[in-house]
Amino acid sequence: MTQTQAQTPILAIDGPSSSGKGTVARIVAGRLGWHLLDSGALYRVLGFHAEQQGVALDDAEALQALAQRLPVSFREQGGDTQVCLNGEDVSREIRDERVGELASRVAILQPVRDALLARQRDFAEAPGLVADGRDMGTVVFTAAPLKIFLTASAEERGRRRYNQLKEKGFGATLPALIEDIRARDDRDMQREVAPLKPADDAIVIDSTAMTIDDVVNRILDEAARRALVQSA
Ligand code: DC
């Protein structure tokens, strides 16, 4: 890291679901020794919690109140991050497709996004932060010195998601997953608040034909080129 940086350096990685950004963000954060923010997990926990509490997914006021005092915490465990709700590990539950759907629905509400803003910014701590989401570069960390927009074709993302779910023992069919991904893309891109789009100053990486390592190396090269790190 350069000595002249007054503020915590932030690497924003945005992109659609199953673009690989979660995996890439984790590896890059590990390689740099930086903190990691999985902002999608916050929306997922909120959707999950709302359902548990019987809060309607279009009740913006109630959801905002829930988001403001969301009892979520992140625990590092063996190189992985456990996501806890009320101290209970819900990492597995929140990765379910159904919870992704709930997250996508609460995420369209501006009061909810506002309530989660400060919480996300609190993750910016020395020596640096890798922030993974949809609006890291466009809303949450607009001054981030490096912004990446990671994407891939819907078919390729469907395949990746299918393999991921199979590995974890969840059932799914490929055509249904591709369909879900398209629907979620539409919702994330068309929504009025913080729509999914690359920041004007983002580097767009299409990972359809790239391996995870290719993407990681490309990002680390860029971080080094911009003097965010001594060497990558
Ligand atoms: O990245 P993910 O699949 O875990 O995100 C779940 C949902 O949360 C996704 O449909 C969009 C929403 N989300 C968002 O609106 N803004 C973010 N910064 C992160 C996620």
Side-chain angles (χ1 to χ4, degrees), residues 208-224:
T208 305
M210 290 170 84
T211 65
I212 294 284
D213 274 354
D214 292 339
V215 178
V216 167
N217 289 332
R218 172 83 211 284
I219 294 173
L220 289 175
D221 283 350
E222 201 57 50

Side-chain angles (χ1 to χ4, degrees), residues 14-18 21 38-44 94-95 99-108 113 120 132-136 140 184 187-188 191 193-194:
D14 290 305
S17 55
S18 302
K21 67 191 160 51
D38 171 5
S39 61
L42 290 175
Y43 290 94
R44 284 175 183 266
I94 63 160
R95 294 300 157 203
V99 178
E101 175 76 21
L102 300 177
S104 162
R105 290 176 60 188
V106 297
I108 61 173
R113 304 197 74 86
Q120 296 174 78
D132 153 17
R134 302 291 191 290
D135 60 344
M136 298 297 99
V140 184
R184 183 133 12 124
R187 197 170 320 131
D188 291 346
R191 70 184 178 207
V193 289

Side-chain angles (χ1 to χ4, degrees), residues 161-193:
R161 189 83 189 113
Y162 178 74
N163 291 333
Q164 230 176 31
L165 289 172
K166 231 172 55 176
E167 232 169 68
K168 289 182 180 166
F170 289 119
T173 68
L174 185 56
L177 277 177
I178 295 174
E179 196 49 46
D180 280 357
I181 279 178
R182 289 216 169 93
R184 183 133 12 124
D185 282 357
D186 270 357
R187 197 170 320 131
D188 291 346
M189 290 190 294
Q190 306 304 332
R191 70 184 178 207
E192 275 172 33
V193 289

Side-chain angles (χ1 to χ4, degrees), residues 26 75-82:
R26 168 164 301 283
R75 241 187 261 150
E76 288 309 316
Q77 197 156 65
D80 233 342
T81 308
Q82 255 185 17

Side-chain angles (χ1 to χ4, degrees), residues 20-206:
K21 67 191 160 51
T23 307
V24 166
R26 168 164 301 283
I27 297 173
V28 169
R31 297 269 286 270
L32 296 176
W34 287 10
H35 299 282
L36 175 68
L37 164 62
D38 171 5
S39 61
L42 290 175
Y43 290 94
R44 284 175 183 266
V45 170
L46 179 62
F48 183 69
H49 192 41
E51 191 183 52
Q52 275 186 336
Q53 300 286 308
V55 173
L57 294 180
D58 56 355
D59 186 342
E61 211 174 300
L63 286 168
Q64 182 180 35
L66 216 55
Q68 273 160 349
R69 51 183 163 75
L70 190 65
V72 63
S73 55
F74 296 86
R75 241 187 261 150
E76 288 309 316
Q77 197 156 65
D80 233 342
T81 308
Q82 255 185 17
V83 185
C84 301
L85 176 62
N86 280 319
E88 222 173 274
D89 183 10
V90 292
S91 317
R92 185 179 159 87
E93 288 87 338
I94 63 160
R95 294 300 157 203
D96 194 273
E97 285 302 293
R98 196 184 54 79
V99 178
E101 175 76 21
L102 300 177
S104 162
R105 290 176 60 188
V106 297
I108 61 173
L109 303 168
Q110 185 70 62
V112 163
R113 304 197 74 86
D114 291 345
L116 294 179
L117 201 56
R119 228 174 170 133
Q120 296 174 78
R121 290 183 175 149
D122 283 347
F123 278 79
E125 274 186 46
L129 175 70
V130 177
D132 153 17
R134 302 291 191 290
D135 60 344
M136 298 297 99
T138 51
V139 176
V140 184
F141 300 110
T142 50
L146 179 53
K147 299 176 185 175
I148 304 291
F149 190 86
L150 188 59
T151 188
S153 71
E155 289 76 12
E156 176 60 21
R157 286 185 285 132
R159 268 191 294 277
R160 290 176 189 173
R161 189 83 189 113
Y162 178 74
N163 291 333
Q164 230 176 31
L165 289 172
K166 231 172 55 176
E167 232 169 68
K168 289 182 180 166
F170 289 119
T173 68
L174 185 56
L177 277 177
I178 295 174
E179 196 49 46
D180 280 357
I181 279 178
R182 289 216 169 93
R184 183 133 12 124
D185 282 357
D186 270 357
R187 197 170 320 131
D188 291 346
M189 290 190 294
Q190 306 304 332
R191 70 184 178 207
E192 275 172 33
V193 289
L196 172 66
K197 63 170 186 200
D200 291 341
D201 50 349
I203 297 175
V204 178
I205 301 178
D206 183 338

